[in-house]
Amino acid sequence: MSAENDPTENKTDNLDDSDGVTLTLNDVLELEDELIENTAAVLGAANDKTCSYVEGYLKRQALYSCLTCIPEAKSDPEKGAGICLACSYHCHDGHELVELYTKRNFRCDCGNSKFTNMVCNLYNEKNEVNDLNSYNQNFCGMYCVCHRPYPDPEDPVPDEMIQCIICEDWYHTRHLGTEVPSSNFAEMICELCVTKHEFLLHYDQLNIKKSAPATEDQNTEENINVDMNDENTEAVISETSEDVSDCKRPKEKSQKVCAKFWVDVNWRKELCTCDECLKMYENEDVAFLLDSEDPVHLYEEKGKAKAKEIVEKHDRNFMNSMNRVQLVDCIAGYNDLKQHLAEYLKKICRE
């Protein structure tokens, strides 16, 4: 959704704008390598031949929702189902699929009771439902607080989308309700999730501060300094002072409830792990924040590593085995293809 996650971005966008570009065979192979790597960041180390159901609830995997098999999911995301990469190829080829990017702690639904008169071609011994799976509006192809599809043909405003690490929904930057930092950030938590999980406000010193001037509704600092004479502050302190003595959660609590942007994933290591806080994380179903393997970038790195391994094993020495006439003809053929190369490579990514 975000530009850095779009496998169709990068060099291919320039190919349609210049009629004078001449590509060599190596140029094409380099472009293909880049697209393979970026696509692998989304698909991860997923197996495209075996249903992921046999691996149980995976910490993270690429998923799809099939609106052909479950058309009622278009209006009710709870009726939707998530299918793994392999099932998208072998059980739902040619269907209307919604790309869900990645979801955590999910087990493939393909062929279970959510589907009518359909069994999984790869693994048909599945439970009727996966009780631990979680579904949101993404499963019916809608995103953000505006509840619109992506890409949205009716939206004239070009805008990136950013995924919240808790609810895993995607948000237009202009609909986050606060300014997006100009500096790089690793993770974002949307305003709805910050409202739901108030403990995050105690860690506000770890998120990126915006430099934009405060509005009338933002007449307090991003982090509130403790003032023992302030009634509101006293209420905050009395709330946190009830924690057990070994609780490391900061007593200061930001009064600014909005989307939060975290500098890097190490902010998670600052979360208190006392017994009371651990119990709270479990009750609020956010214990995954303490999992060192949960961050999306780690999943992407594994996928890219797999792609690199594939590329390194790819035999490029075939050019040396070709005679001069064959090599020239091959390069000429790729140059003839340059006018449609972007569409061609994007089609490969989608497949």
Side-chain angles (χ1 to χ4, degrees), residues 80-199:
I83 61 175
C84 69
L85 176 66
C87 287
S88 73
Y89 293 153
H90 300 281
C91 306
H92 303 270
D93 183 37
H95 292 189
E96 181 183 359
L97 297 178
V98 176
E99 296 184 27
L100 300 173
Y101 188 53
T102 69
K103 299 291 183 185
R104 67 165 59 88
N105 299 332
F106 204 94
R107 197 172 194 182
C108 182
D109 285 320
C110 181
N112 67 13
S113 63
K114 283 179 169 283
F115 295 82
T116 304
N117 299 324
M118 182 265 178
V119 295
C120 178
N121 294 329
L122 300 178
Y123 189 82
N124 58 17
E125 298 179 6
K126 297 181 177 180
N127 294 334
E128 291 190 1
V129 294
N130 295 312
D131 294 326
L132 300 183
N133 283 357
S134 179
Y135 308 89
N136 62 12
Q137 65 172 347
N138 299 167
F139 286 78
C140 56
M142 298 299 171
Y143 308 88
C144 192
V145 293
C146 60
H147 310 299
R148 296 293 302 170
Y150 182 89
D152 187 352
E154 298 180 8
D155 185 0
V157 181
D159 196 355
E160 289 185 1
M161 299 193 80
I162 305 174
Q163 188 179 36
C164 171
I165 65 169
I166 290 185
C167 67
E168 297 192 300
D169 200 353
W170 292 81
Y171 295 85
H172 295 99
T173 58
R174 67 186 190 275
H175 293 159
L176 283 171
T178 189
E179 181 187 6
V180 177
S182 57
S183 56
N184 291 333
F185 58 92
E187 297 182 319
M188 184 275 292
I189 297 179
C190 70
E191 181 177 352
L192 292 175
C193 287
V194 172
T195 301
K196 183 177 179 181
H197 307 289
E198 291 189 7
F199 74 89

